[in-house]
Amino acid sequence: MSNYQRQLDQLRSAFPPPVSDQVHDGYVVFSLLRALDQVDALKSQAPILGEPTQPDYATASAARLDDEGRTVEQVVPELVRSLEGMLINSHPRNQVNVSPHPSIASVIGVMLPAIFNPNLCSDESGGGVGEVELRVAAMVADLIGYDAQQAGGLFTFGGTGAMLYGVKIGLEKALPGSLREGVTGRAVILASEQSHSACLNVAGWLGIGQDQVVRVPTQADNSIDVGALADAAREQLSGGGRIAAFVATLGTTDAFGLDDLEAIHRLRDRLVEEFSLDYRPHIHADAVIGWAWSVFNDYDFQNNPLEFRGRTVRALATSRSRVRHLHLADSLGVDFHKTGFAPYTSSLVLLRDRDDFQSLVRERGQMPYLFHSGEYHPGMYTLETTRSGTGPLSALASLRLLGREGLRVLLGHGVEMAEILREQIGSCPELTVLNSENVGPVTLFRAYPSGVDTFEVKRREQSDESFAPKLREYNDFNRRIFQHVHAEAMAGRGVAIGLTDCYRRTDYGEPLVALKSYVLSPFADESRMKSIVHHVLAARDHVQAE
Ligand SMILES: *Cc1c(COP(=O)(O)O)cnc(C)c1O
């Protein structure tokens, strides 16, 4: 045996066995188990793995590839170490942000494709996982109210990617030929001030230009002001601009604001008539957070079989009144890694009419097989070439594991926990909820120094410009409270809440800082929710005494 062959022999043991070999399989599982064991040793009462760490970027950039390889046993600890200092997303003491809480089934949905690597570029390379992609698309299409026979969908790189597809298709409708010839005219994207920064990213990357994103003011409930949207759209159309897309946000990132898609849809149709447009401006629903609330479309709110509290029922029913119109969008984004309990990245872009994908086919004259013919070649119109099977498989795992009922339970629990927190905040004169008109699992709130009338202050902060210095002082006050609560949480006391630097802008343009509690963890419970107020008030006293 030559030297290289000896080494090759050793290396083979570091790969999962391609043919049945149960002893070798045992080694694969055992290696995984040992890695999990090492992670387990990092767990404590605090919502963090190990201790808070400062990343050492200087040493990191000095890293070089060694000559000698290492064993699996030597490599794994280095991987585990990289998790040190990380917040545990699903920890009941972590309510920092909208982050995924992957179920066991969805983790296996990532692991299997990681071993066998289906490539969703075509059905030759993707096999049955391509079929899973279609199955999940059909399930979600039906869930949100599309005709699943006519709809189509693809997994892509995040809600940002989903929006990129939606707006790209809209751009082809507004300025046909852009894919081949480039963007030859002026096109705009209309979205709300509370819409995600992905709008800007998409406009930039598609060549529309970030300056062509018109951000329309929102109302107190963080939904787009449809009157202002109508004015903005008319102004653009009158000036010869074309509308690449209306982006409706259903579930804004910070506050869970839900745009009125029904009104936007009506506006779009009216504008087509009014301006005799030769195209129908595209509506993309950025529903990466809100899509999952569709499971309440057919919930029996009257009898409330899941026995949610009154406040929760009201909140869920209010969300439903907006979410049930999702089917009016021409395309929409779904993040399973936000509210679908799947790991990163698992995002689906859905089209109401799958034929809209035709406008993205790269080579003209070659019709794509949009699964009418039994062949499936999404690679002819996807932005990506190689696409992983992890998104569809982990999404399928989640949907099968939970069903409509499981999603109702988990999402309803998040909302119920938020309502408990709101009830608590409502009884504290030092605290006030900012997004009181929003009804999701996220609560944005502020604390004030003693003696401040929290009813009066909210109004002045919003509209009285002479109050700006005070507002900045209170912004700072809340930042310091956050730091204190955060430090306590890292030490295993209290709950890690989040901070947003700009919940929204005041009428005179100042950002409002807010404390944030985002509850999605199945492990959150009532007593912990009640402890939040206690810890925030203690931090407030501490900051006030400084
Ligand atoms: C998170 C988010 C996005 C971006 O989605 P990614 O999956 O992070 O790419 C877009 N819109 C909204 C409303 C979001 O919350």
Side-chain angles (χ1 to χ4, degrees):
M1 211 189 263
S2 66
N3 182 8
Y4 106 81
Q5 281 170 327
R6 255 191 316 277
Q7 294 198 40
L8 180 64
D9 234 25
Q10 262 183 359
L11 284 173
R12 280 179 175 156
S13 71
F15 287 78
V19 292
S20 178
D21 179 342
Q22 288 172 354
V23 172
H24 195 154
D25 254 348
Y27 175 61
V28 175
V29 173
F30 190 64
S31 301
L32 262 170
L33 199 64
R34 289 185 52 153
L36 283 179
D37 242 6
Q38 290 167 39
V39 177
D40 195 62
L42 297 174
K43 291 180 182 169
S44 68
Q45 277 304 301
I48 185 174
L49 291 170
E51 299 289 323
T53 51
Q54 282 301 321
D56 182 355
Y57 296 121
T59 307
S61 47
R64 302 291 180 266
L65 179 63
D66 295 332
D67 215 30
E68 296 287 313
R70 296 167 198 219
T71 62
V72 176
E73 290 67 31
Q74 288 166 325
V75 171
V76 168
E78 184 174 346
L79 304 184
V80 171
R81 262 200 311 281
S82 71
L83 296 179
E84 252 180 82
M86 199 192 141
L87 279 170
I88 303 169
N89 286 335
S90 60
H91 200 287
R93 289 180 191 270
N94 176 3
Q95 300 177 8
V96 172
N97 218 332
V98 50
S99 41
H101 307 285
S103 63
I104 297 171
S106 71
V107 169
I108 293 174
V110 166
M111 210 191 72
L112 292 178
I115 296 176
F116 295 101
N117 261 337
N119 181 348
L120 298 184
C121 184
S122 78
D123 51 8
E124 287 134 40
S125 53
V129 182
E131 190 190 305
V132 168
E133 177 168 51
L134 295 189
R135 213 183 308 160
V136 172
M139 282 156 84
V140 180
D142 178 67
L143 178 69
I144 64 101
Y146 279 164
D147 172 359
Q149 293 300 316
Q150 189 56 40
L154 280 176
F155 277 78
T156 185
F157 58 95
T160 307
M163 193 188 295
L164 193 77
Y165 274 95
V167 176
K168 179 67 191 158
I169 288 167
L171 183 63
E172 282 299 316
K173 292 178 182 176
L175 293 170
S178 298
L179 187 74
R180 281 177 68 82
E181 296 147 28
V183 181
T184 49
R186 198 170 77 82
V188 297
I189 297 174
L190 294 153
S192 86
E193 263 171 18
Q194 307 305 125
S195 66
H196 196 269
S197 58
C199 287
L200 294 173
N201 227 0
V202 162
W205 284 71
L206 286 181
I208 292 173
Q210 298 187 337
D211 290 348
Q212 312 308 327
V213 178
V214 181
R215 302 187 80 178
V216 177
T218 54
Q219 309 181 91
D221 69 356
N222 293 297
S223 73
I224 196 163
D225 178 336
V226 178
L229 177 64
D231 292 345
R234 289 201 171 91
E235 189 186 324
Q236 292 302 328
L237 293 170
S238 306
R242 309 203 33 114
I243 296 175
F246 290 95
V247 173
T249 312
L250 278 93
T252 59
T253 315
D254 267 346
F256 201 72
L258 299 163
D259 283 354
D260 184 349
L261 200 46
E262 193 185 26
I264 295 170
H265 183 260
R266 214 179 310 123
L267 169 67
R268 189 272 309 267
D269 287 358
R270 202 179 324 124
L271 292 172
V272 171
E273 298 274 309
E274 198 176 312
F275 288 83
S276 308
L277 299 178
D278 56 2
Y279 67 107
R280 192 163 284 273
H282 189 90
I283 301 176
H284 177 77
D286 184 9
V288 294
I289 290 180
W291 69 275
W293 268 253
S294 303
V295 295
F296 292 105
N297 283 348
D298 53 2
Y299 182 64
D300 179 358
F301 284 99
Q302 209 84 65
N303 292 312
N304 184 25
L306 287 173
E307 300 172 13
F308 294 120
R309 302 157 164 241
R311 284 179 68 114
T312 308
V313 171
R314 188 147 41 96
L316 294 173
T318 305
S319 303
R320 176 178 66 170
S321 69
R322 286 278 158 94
V323 168
R324 72 192 170 93
H325 296 301
L326 273 179
H327 66 94
L328 294 173
D330 298 305
S331 61
L332 62 94
V334 165
D335 273 359
F336 291 96
H337 65 234
K338 285 217 174 118
T339 47
F341 303 93
Y344 291 143
T345 319
S346 180
S347 296
L348 174 70
V349 57
L350 268 183
L351 305 189
R352 193 164 43 83
D353 183 355
R354 72 169 73 122
D355 287 342
D356 275 356
F357 278 130
Q358 303 274 1
S359 63
L360 303 184
V361 174
R362 272 181 294 280
E363 290 148 74
R364 285 284 165 92
Q366 250 188 305
M367 297 301 278
Y369 303 102
L370 286 177
F371 42 91
H372 294 301
S373 65
E375 290 186 74
Y376 184 48
H377 295 295
M380 293 179 73
Y381 49 91
T382 53
L383 167 62
E384 306 98 322
T385 306
T386 295
R387 280 188 312 128
S388 162
T390 59
L393 229 57
S394 58
L396 179 71
S398 252
L399 294 174
R400 285 290 185 227
L401 180 79
L402 302 172
R404 284 174 201 247
E405 187 78 342
L407 277 168
R408 286 187 199 119
V409 167
L410 291 177
L411 300 172
H413 178 64
V415 172
E416 182 131 318
M417 293 302 104
E419 290 297 331
I420 288 170
L421 177 62
R422 285 166 181 229
E423 220 166 51
Q424 299 281 316
I425 292 173
S427 62
C428 294
E430 306 89 341
L431 305 176
T432 189
V433 173
L434 297 179
N435 65 332
S436 52
E437 291 182 44
N438 298 122
V439 284
V442 56
T443 306
L444 297 154
F445 59 109
R446 257 159 101 83
Y448 294 93
S450 305
V452 174
D453 175 347
T454 49
F455 286 101
E456 173 68 8
V457 75
K458 225 154 82 163
R459 192 189 56 73
R460 290 195 71 185
E461 283 184 331
Q462 183 58 36
S463 52
D464 180 355
E465 188 160 6
S466 72
F467 204 69
K470 269 285 180 223
L471 170 125
R472 285 184 213 126
E473 184 188 319
Y474 296 153
N475 276 350
D476 192 48
F477 189 68
N478 279 278
R479 274 201 196 94
R480 283 156 64 201
I481 290 175
F482 164 74
Q483 279 154 9
H484 197 73
V485 174
H486 190 75
E488 285 283 292
M490 291 305 111
R493 295 183 291 269
V495 172
I497 55 173
L499 179 87
T500 173
D501 271 324
C502 182
Y503 153 58
R504 54 186 286 142
R505 288 188 183 275
T506 64
D507 300 347
Y508 46 93
E510 286 280 331
L512 261 174
V513 168
L515 303 169
K516 165 155 107 173
S517 152
Y518 212 122
V519 197
L520 280 176
S521 170
F523 300 98
D525 63 34
E526 192 167 336
S527 65
R528 286 248 168 60
M529 296 316 295
K530 291 184 171 161
S531 78
I532 293 178
V533 165
H534 170 78
H535 283 276
V536 168
L537 288 180
R540 190 201 75 119
D541 291 345
H542 185 88
V543 169
Q544 199 163 249
E546 273 174 6

